[in-house]
């Protein structure tokens, strides 16, 4: 069994409450006491229980990261970037994939809410959004690669991206351009890219 806050408190002859405050960088604890606690924690190999902390605090030092498909190289790169960014603030990420299934997405969100994460970064299916809007009333939610007028999001200009691809292919002399689609009715970024591509082809008079 690992070292607990009570073990640290006994080792330092302090109260568990004082040790807990020191580990949370509470202003109620002096800098000298905080350093004593941190040094003892390192010496004894104390590892904080982030899940338990989330049960007693407003939130846990955890960011939920939910993507469509971890087999997709794009999402692997994104997850790595998220982990690097939140590590700078001593947060950790809980990574999960929805397999592009709305029901799996909802079930995972219910389990994640119980942990009380500090926030959620998600690439949603977008078949439905009511559950995401409701969740955003309780914790910060940011959509990744998707847009919604009622939610915060980070994405790119997919229409422009489609145009860039179209212009590039045309510059190489190609006039017959095929497109492989996912077939997902709620993949709006894909639709925007197609519209951008069509715009580039129309400008060259290849389609009407």
């Amino acid at each position: 069994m690992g070292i607990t806050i009570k073990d640290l408190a006994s080792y330092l002859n302090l109260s568990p409450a004082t040790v807990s405050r020191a580990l949370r960088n509470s202003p109620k604890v002096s800098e000298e006491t905080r350093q004593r606690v941190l040094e003892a924690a390192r010496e004894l190999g104390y590892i904080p229980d982030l899940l338990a902390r989330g049960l007693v605090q407003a939130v846990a030092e955890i960011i939920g990261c939910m993507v469509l498909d971890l087999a997709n190289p794009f999402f692997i790169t994104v997850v790595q970037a998220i982990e690097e960014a939140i590590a700078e603030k001593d947060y950790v990420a809980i990574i999960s994939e929805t397999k592009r299934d709305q029901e799996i997405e909802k079930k995972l969100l219910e389990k994640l809410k119980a942990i009380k994460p500090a926030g959620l970064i998600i690439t949603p299916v977008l078949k439905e959004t009511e559950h995401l809007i409701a969740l955003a009333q309780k914790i910060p939610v940011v959509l990744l690669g998707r847009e919604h007028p009622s939610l915060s999001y980070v994405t790119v200009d997919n229409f422009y991206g489609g145009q860039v691809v179209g212009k590039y292919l045309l510059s190489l002399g190609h006039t017959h351009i095929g497109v492989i689609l996912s077939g997902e009715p709620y993949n709006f970024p894909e639709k925007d890219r197609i519209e951008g591509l069509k715009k580039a082809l129309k400008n060259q008079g290849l389609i009407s």
Side-chain angles (χ1 to χ4, degrees), residues 92-182:
V92 297
I94 291 183
I95 313 298
S96 57
E97 64 174 340
T98 63
K99 298 180 174 62
R100 303 177 185 271
D101 187 306
Q102 182 82 83
E103 293 308 310
I104 292 177
E105 178 181 292
K106 290 181 178 181
K107 289 178 181 178
L108 289 174
L109 285 176
E110 285 300 315
K111 292 181 178 180
L112 193 61
K113 281 193 295 184
I115 302 172
K116 297 182 181 178
L120 172 68
I121 301 171
I122 178 173
T123 302
V125 176
L126 282 186
K127 181 179 180 181
E128 300 173 18
T129 58
E130 291 81 3
H131 59 297
L132 293 172
I133 295 173
L135 181 62
Q137 305 304 311
K138 300 178 181 179
I139 67 170
V141 174
V142 177
L143 306 189
L144 174 65
R146 297 291 186 270
E147 299 179 27
H148 192 280
S150 299
L151 296 165
S152 299
Y153 59 85
V154 176
T155 188
V156 298
D157 189 336
N158 288 288
F159 182 86
Y160 177 72
Q163 279 189 299
V164 170
V165 170
K167 290 178 180 179
Y168 175 70
L169 293 174
L170 291 170
S171 72
L172 296 177
H174 300 295
T175 55
H176 294 81
I177 300 171
V179 178
I180 299 176
L181 301 176
S182 67

Side-chain angles (χ1 to χ4, degrees), residues 166 170 175 177 196-207:
L170 291 170
T175 55
I177 300 171
L197 174 61
K198 287 181 178 179
K199 177 67 174 178
L201 298 180
K202 285 180 181 179
N203 289 342
Q204 293 296 316
L206 294 178
I207 61 174

Side-chain angles (χ1 to χ4, degrees), residues 18-81:
T18 298
V19 171
S20 179
R21 293 190 188 102
L23 292 171
R24 298 199 311 270
N25 293 324
S26 170
K28 296 181 180 180
V29 177
S30 69
E31 181 62 21
E32 179 183 354
T33 299
R34 190 177 77 86
Q35 290 301 327
R36 281 185 62 208
V37 171
L38 293 178
E39 183 178 344
R42 287 191 292 269
E43 181 181 335
L44 298 179
Y46 169 74
I47 299 175
D49 187 339
L50 296 179
L51 297 183
R53 185 182 298 179
L55 297 176
V56 296
Q57 295 182 195
V59 296
E61 294 171 344
I62 292 171
I63 300 295
C65 181
M66 198 174 297
V67 299
L68 298 172
D69 182 5
L70 285 172
N72 187 325
F74 169 76
F75 289 119
I76 292 175
T77 303
V78 167
V79 166
Q80 289 174 336

Side-chain angles (χ1 to χ4, degrees), residues 158 180-184 187-195:
N158 288 288
I180 299 176
L181 301 176
S182 67
E184 297 171 345
N187 193 333
F188 299 112
E190 182 179 74
K191 292 180 180 180
D192 289 341
R193 293 180 200 123
I194 295 301
E195 291 304 312

